[in-house]
Amino acid sequence: MPQYQGELISIDIKDYDIKDFFRLISEISGLNVVLDPNINGTVTLKLTDVPWDQALDVVLKNYQLGGQLQGNVLRIATNASLQGEQTAQKALRDAQELATPLVTRTFTLNYTKSDAAGSILGRLLSPRGTIIQDPRRNALIISDIPSQFGNLDNMVKFLDTPAKQVEIEARLLQANKSFSRDVGNQLGFLVGNRTGNVLTGLPGATNQSPFNAYPAPRATTRSGLPLVSNFPAAASSGLSFLIQPGGDILLDEIISAAEARGTAKLISRPKVVTQNNVAATIEQATQIPVQTNVNNTITVQFQRFGLNLNVNPQITEAGTILMNVTITNQEPDFARAVNGIPSVASQSATTQVLVPDGGTAVIGGILVDTDTINVRQVPGLGNLPVIGNLFKNTNTAKSTAELIFFITPRIKTLDAISVLAPGEENSSGQPQQR
């Protein structure tokens, strides 16, 4: 909305000649007013305490007029006359440009590709201008009228500048903890070893006490007692109780127990340097051969497993770094192999994150907590309080696996980068710095 700053005036006129109105404005404003011969008519208006330039603007709009101020001379003409003049001036300029000889200049680019710069500079050319790309020298050959090269020079300097570089360090922390406890029991007894009826456990080569009795029990063909409860722990520690009250009752009690603890930590730190707005990929992988048989044809294919980092950084005007990040970690799992082909344990994170220069961001994490209890027991007897432990095996296993992704970007300075102006050549053979 225009701001009017002229002297306040009050006007009350009816059927007033428009030429005399402009003479009145000239006297009030102190401007020299020149009128187009085609201007005529009368003005009727009533204004109170309005700036004189606002009153002039209202009359010009009502009568389809326009004004051109040059110094202290105000030229007023019809809009049709002004548009006709502008069209004629444009036609004259076009004719002059068509008659102007073309100038050809070459631009050798240092920090950007000629095809990328050529597509942008082509929009700044006149209708007669042309661009030829020289990929071998990474140069542009531009032909155009001389008046266009001011804008072209400024745009080439803007485009052909060294891009900032970003060093990106990713850290993958993988921590695993495991704990297991196995408590087992073996119980063998025999009642009536010397006389009378015999009460004992289930006979069998694998279901007898590891202790040899002498003389051998009456109801067995071997020297060990038949076991009533045979749930040993996978352990080499425990206690054994061998009881023979009066020789007619034999009792073997074997308690075995073991615990196992494990801790593992894996840290991977891939690092890559890339330019601003240029995607970069770094990979640390192992290729594992996998043999397949299809239609009696054996082939070997290599599958890649490892850590892959893909990142595209963008440096903002505030000095922060906006990144599109994809991190993938894959490991073969031979414990779940099918026909010799391992399954793949994969963890990945894809995100867009804004990080300050030198700052560290946690872009993802995976926590897996497993708690397992397995019980084997004699039906019924294993459920008895306290004494039921003599008839069962309890295996407890706990594991925790945690995976965390960190990323740290750092903007690299241009101090050590050679900087040349477009078209310059480094004759000394030494890098120039600025």
Side-chain angles (χ1 to χ4, degrees):
M1 189 173 182
Q3 299 293 328
Y4 302 106
Q5 300 178 351
E7 179 183 352
L8 298 180
I9 60 174
S10 298
I11 301 178
D12 186 3
I13 55 178
K14 179 180 181 182
D15 297 331
Y16 196 71
D17 188 273
I18 192 171
K19 296 180 180 179
D20 292 335
F21 172 78
F22 289 131
R23 288 174 58 86
L24 177 61
I25 293 297
S26 174
E27 295 176 358
I28 296 174
S29 63
L31 296 175
N32 300 308
V33 177
V34 179
L35 300 180
D36 185 90
N38 297 323
I39 296 178
N40 52 57
T42 59
V43 178
T44 299
L45 56 84
K46 181 179 180 181
L47 300 174
T48 303
D49 294 335
V50 297
W52 66 263
D53 48 353
Q54 184 178 5
L56 174 63
D57 189 45
V58 170
V59 174
L60 293 177
K61 291 179 178 179
N62 283 348
Y63 287 85
Q64 304 297 316
L65 302 176
Q68 293 179 338
L69 181 62
Q70 298 177 346
N72 64 341
V73 177
L74 176 62
R75 178 172 176 263
I76 299 176
T78 62
N79 289 337
S81 298
L82 295 177
Q83 291 175 359
E85 292 175 0
Q86 292 176 357
T87 302
Q89 291 175 359
K90 183 179 183 302
L92 178 62
R93 288 195 303 269
D94 294 342
Q96 291 175 345
E97 291 179 355
L98 291 175
T100 302
L102 296 179
V103 176
T104 300
R105 291 181 55 184
T106 60
F107 296 89
T108 301
L109 305 177
N110 296 308
Y111 309 106
T112 187
K113 295 296 183 181
S114 59
D115 54 350
S119 62
I120 298 176
L121 295 175
R123 302 178 183 180
L124 302 180
L125 299 178
S126 69
R128 299 177 60 194
T130 59
I131 292 182
I132 301 175
Q133 301 177 15
D134 183 4
R136 184 180 64 87
R137 298 192 61 183
N138 195 36
L140 296 175
I141 304 172
I142 302 179
S143 299
D144 209 338
I145 58 177
S147 60
Q148 294 295 112
F149 280 97
N151 292 334
L152 291 173
D153 286 337
N154 293 333
M155 185 57 65
V156 169
K157 292 179 181 179
F158 174 77
L159 296 175
D160 193 32
T161 54
K164 294 181 180 180
Q165 297 190 114
V166 182
E167 178 188 76
I168 301 169
E169 179 183 1
R171 281 171 289 176
L172 182 146
L173 174 62
Q174 185 174 4
N176 297 318
K177 294 182 180 180
S178 62
F179 169 80
S180 64
R181 175 183 295 158
D182 193 5
V183 179
N185 183 79
Q186 292 174 286
L187 176 62
F189 73 88
L190 186 149
V191 179
N193 185 42
R194 293 185 176 180
T195 60
N197 297 325
V198 176
L199 176 62
T200 186
L202 183 68
T206 60
N207 197 58
Q208 64 177 3
S209 172
F211 295 99
N212 294 326
Y214 185 80
R218 183 165 66 91
T220 63
T221 58
R222 295 176 176 83
S223 58
L225 288 179
L227 295 177
V228 176
S229 172
N230 186 17
F231 302 108
S236 58
S237 63
L239 295 174
S240 299
F241 302 92
L242 308 180
I243 304 174
Q244 298 182 11
D248 194 48
I249 299 176
L250 303 180
L251 176 65
D252 288 359
E253 169 63 22
I254 304 170
I255 301 175
S256 55
E259 285 188 2
R261 301 175 186 269
T263 301
K265 182 170 67 174
L266 172 64
I267 299 179
S268 298
R269 301 179 64 178
K271 184 184 298 184
V272 65
V273 178
T274 184
Q275 288 190 340
N276 185 31
N277 286 317
V278 177
T281 300
I282 186 171
E283 184 179 46
Q284 178 185 0
T286 301
Q287 292 187 345
I288 297 179
V290 176
Q291 180 175 294
T292 58
N293 188 343
V294 179
N295 296 329
N296 296 324
T297 301
I298 298 177
T299 59
V300 177
Q301 298 179 347
F302 287 87
Q303 293 186 356
R304 301 175 66 88
F305 299 95
L307 180 64
N308 181 280
L309 169 64
N310 183 278
V311 60
N312 191 344
Q314 176 185 342
I315 302 175
T316 66
E317 292 296 330
T320 56
I321 304 169
L322 180 65
M323 295 180 292
N324 293 316
V325 185
T326 300
I327 296 180
T328 303
N329 184 49
Q330 292 182 333
E331 297 178 353
D333 188 357
F334 288 96
R336 296 179 175 87
V338 178
N339 297 328
I341 302 177
S343 60
V344 181
S346 178
Q347 304 90 26
S348 64
T350 300
T351 185
Q352 184 180 76
V353 61
L354 182 65
V355 185
D357 181 21
T360 300
V362 180
I363 65 172
I366 300 173
L367 176 63
V368 179
D369 195 352
T370 305
D371 195 345
T372 304
I373 298 178
N374 295 317
V375 178
R376 296 183 302 156
Q377 65 180 23
V378 176
L381 297 178
N383 295 327
L384 297 176
V386 183
I387 196 173
N389 293 321
L390 299 177
F391 301 95
K392 70 170 63 174
N393 168 265
T394 303
N395 182 276
T396 302
K398 297 181 180 181
S399 64
T400 301
E402 187 173 11
L403 183 66
I404 304 177
F405 297 108
F406 300 89
I407 192 164
T408 303
R410 298 180 180 89
I411 300 176
K412 305 293 287 185
T413 61
L414 301 178
D415 296 340
I417 300 178
S418 175
V419 179
L420 298 176
E424 292 183 350
E425 295 184 359
N426 189 359
S427 59
S428 64
Q430 300 294 328
Q432 298 182 3
Q433 299 181 357
R434 66 179 181 187

